[in-house]
Amino acid sequence: MSATRYRRFLRLCEEWPIDETKRGRDLATFLRQKVALAFREGESTQIADPEKCDQMYESLARIHANVYKEKFPRVRDTSFTGVTVEECRVVLATDSMQQMEDMKKGMWKKLKERFSSKSPAEGAKE
């Protein structure tokens, strides 16, 4: 029976799209890591709580199938701030977040990082 569960989770992982703009922070990537961790031995993995495993699969399958999006449709695709879905995607992209982190650094910190880094040759001399 655990082989069936394993195959179901694998199929769900294959169908779940990876968002390339969120490298390392994507839900599909996180899901794949958790499934790999839970089923370390593949189909022969013994599941401690099969009921909880089935419940977790069903919940993820409902999210993937957009059951709640269809059950509770939104009137507009914006938030209370008026930001659209596409604008949120751009802001939450890994590259955009890295740029914001760089902008947060003060001038002194940027200069300190730039001039304090030693070249590999200098580090070897010491």
Side-chain angles (χ1 to χ4, degrees):
M1 195 65 180
S2 65
T4 305
R5 286 184 180 91
Y6 176 66
R7 282 189 228 114
R8 286 174 35 184
F9 270 102
L10 279 182
R11 193 175 332 111
L12 182 67
C13 287
E14 288 172 3
E15 293 173 0
W16 207 295
I18 295 177
D19 187 353
E20 294 297 330
T21 63
K22 296 179 183 174
R23 290 181 303 274
R25 304 176 302 116
D26 182 42
L27 181 59
T29 304
F30 177 77
L31 180 62
R32 284 171 172 77
Q33 291 170 350
K34 288 296 183 181
V35 168
L37 190 64
F39 292 95
R40 284 187 204 114
E41 298 170 18
E43 292 183 353
S44 60
T45 302
Q46 295 299 316
I47 299 171
D49 191 355
E51 207 171 285
K52 184 177 178 182
C53 182
D54 291 340
Q55 193 176 36
M56 201 174 302
Y57 172 80
E58 293 300 325
S59 296
L60 289 168
R62 283 192 301 269
I63 292 170
H64 175 65
N66 287 325
V67 169
Y68 301 108
K69 183 179 179 183
E70 293 168 7
K71 188 174 182 179
F72 305 105
R74 297 182 60 123
V75 178
R76 288 180 233 116
D77 283 337
T78 60
S79 64
F80 71 95
T81 61
V83 178
T84 65
V85 174
E86 188 56 38
E87 290 170 333
C88 283
R89 280 194 183 111
V90 170
V91 169
L92 294 175
T94 302
D95 295 337
S96 297
M97 292 185 81
Q98 183 64 42
Q99 288 175 351
M100 285 189 273
E101 284 297 316
D102 291 343
M103 287 173 37
K104 282 183 186 177
K105 293 179 183 176
M107 183 59 98
W108 177 250
K109 195 168 191 175
K110 287 179 188 176
L111 289 171
K112 185 177 172 186
E113 286 177 357
R114 183 173 293 158
F115 293 113
S116 68
S117 62
K118 296 181 181 180
S119 67
E122 289 178 31
K125 290 179 184 176
E126 292 180 8

